[in-house]
Amino acid sequence: MSAFDLSTPVGEIVARYPGTSRIFDRAGVDFCCGGKRSLAEACQAKGLPADHLLAELEQELAAVADEPDTSLAGAPLAALTRYIVERFHVPLGEELPRLGRMAERVLEAHAGAHPDVVPELVCLFRRFRAELEEHMAKEESVLFPAIEALATASAATGARIPPVAALIAALEGEHDGAGAALRRLRELTGGFTPPAGACNTFRALYDGLAHLEKEMHLHVHLENSVLFPRAQARERPAAQERRSAIE
């Protein structure tokens, strides 16, 4: 099979074959913030046998239709930004407050019994939530409109070419920060495993955080490995076209 090899970036593999995200999740391989690393580099970082993971990926693809899922990878840029808002931003607008309420109750009821976990957990989540909400607001008010404008900009219209590359670079850095926070939450909670005797709220909080982690992996992957590269690729010829028209 030649669809990809050990030199292929992990994010590119998931962009072309979304089902492989389940294998990377099980292996603990970061395909969102770390999506630019090759499969070999990602395996080396986790201490995994690269050939074995490659074989598992190929086996997974052989078991299903051996064709890329291009429904999102090939979608118009404006459709991609709308999908991200509807699929991830809107649900997060409801889920983050719900998790926040549970985190505060767990802090009040269980900080004394679990002083090495609960206070840091709640502090981390508060910061993560505030930064993510600010990040999504910037995407919706600044970056996504710029990408949508870029999709239709041309020398013929005389429209200004939005400088999306600079905006993307700043927001990718914020993605890295969110990834680091999620890794610390997983480490702190022992893989989101509630302690013995945990109440229902404690268990629901851990379950919600585990779901949040999975959703964020998909969310950041779709931006870092699909939307952002396509927007940057569109910006370059659009800017050149504009300069040629001026000259």
Side-chain angles (χ1 to χ4, degrees):
M1 182 175 181
S2 58
F4 51 80
D5 56 32
L6 294 177
S7 67
T8 308
V10 172
E12 181 180 325
I13 295 172
V14 178
R16 291 162 56 191
Y17 302 95
T20 59
S21 64
R22 293 187 294 272
I23 294 174
F24 287 123
D25 269 334
R26 289 198 299 269
V29 172
D30 179 4
F31 61 84
C32 54
C33 296
K36 294 180 181 180
R37 292 187 300 184
S38 70
L39 180 58
E41 291 168 336
C43 287
Q44 183 178 19
K46 294 294 293 184
L48 297 171
D51 289 340
H52 290 181
L53 186 59
L54 179 60
E56 187 178 356
L57 290 166
E58 292 180 343
Q59 183 179 11
E60 172 72 11
L61 292 183
V64 296
D66 192 14
E67 294 293 332
D69 181 346
T70 58
S71 58
L72 290 177
L77 290 175
L80 268 175
T81 59
R82 288 194 299 271
Y83 176 84
I84 289 169
V85 171
E86 294 169 6
R87 170 65 178 79
F88 297 107
H89 289 199
V90 171
L92 280 168
E94 299 178 357
E95 182 67 356
L96 291 173
R98 185 184 79 91
L99 293 174
R101 290 190 294 271
M102 288 194 294
E104 297 301 328
R105 291 202 295 271
V106 168
L107 177 66
E108 181 178 355
H110 301 286
H114 304 280
D116 296 333
V117 175
V118 172
E120 183 182 353
L121 167 65
V122 176
C123 183
L124 271 171
F125 179 79
R126 287 170 179 164
R127 186 166 63 250
F128 174 85
R129 174 186 172 183
E131 291 175 353
L132 181 56
E133 287 174 338
E134 181 181 358
H135 176 90
M136 292 190 297
K138 285 188 287 189
E139 288 186 333
E140 292 180 26
S141 64
V142 180
L143 178 61
F144 289 177
I147 289 176
E148 291 167 12
L150 176 65
T152 58
S154 70
T157 65
R160 175 177 174 270
I161 305 302
V164 300
L167 296 172
I168 285 171
L171 292 180
E172 279 187 324
E174 294 180 6
H175 284 172
D176 292 341
L182 288 169
R183 286 192 295 275
R184 178 56 187 155
L185 283 170
R186 169 169 283 278
E187 177 184 72
L188 185 66
T189 60
F192 305 110
T193 303
C199 69
N200 286 341
T201 300
F202 210 151
R203 292 181 177 278
L205 173 62
Y206 274 37
D207 179 75
L209 290 174
H211 180 70
L212 174 66
E213 179 192 56
K214 290 181 180 179
E215 288 293 287
M216 285 299 298
H217 285 171
L218 294 172
H219 182 179
V220 173
H221 158 72
L222 186 56
E223 292 184 354
N224 279 7
S225 298
V226 180
L227 176 64
F228 291 174
R230 286 190 54 204
Q232 289 170 313
R234 177 70 182 89
E235 179 181 17
R236 288 190 290 271
Q240 180 59 48
E241 181 185 0
R242 178 67 175 153
R243 285 195 297 270
S244 298
I246 292 173
E247 294 170 358

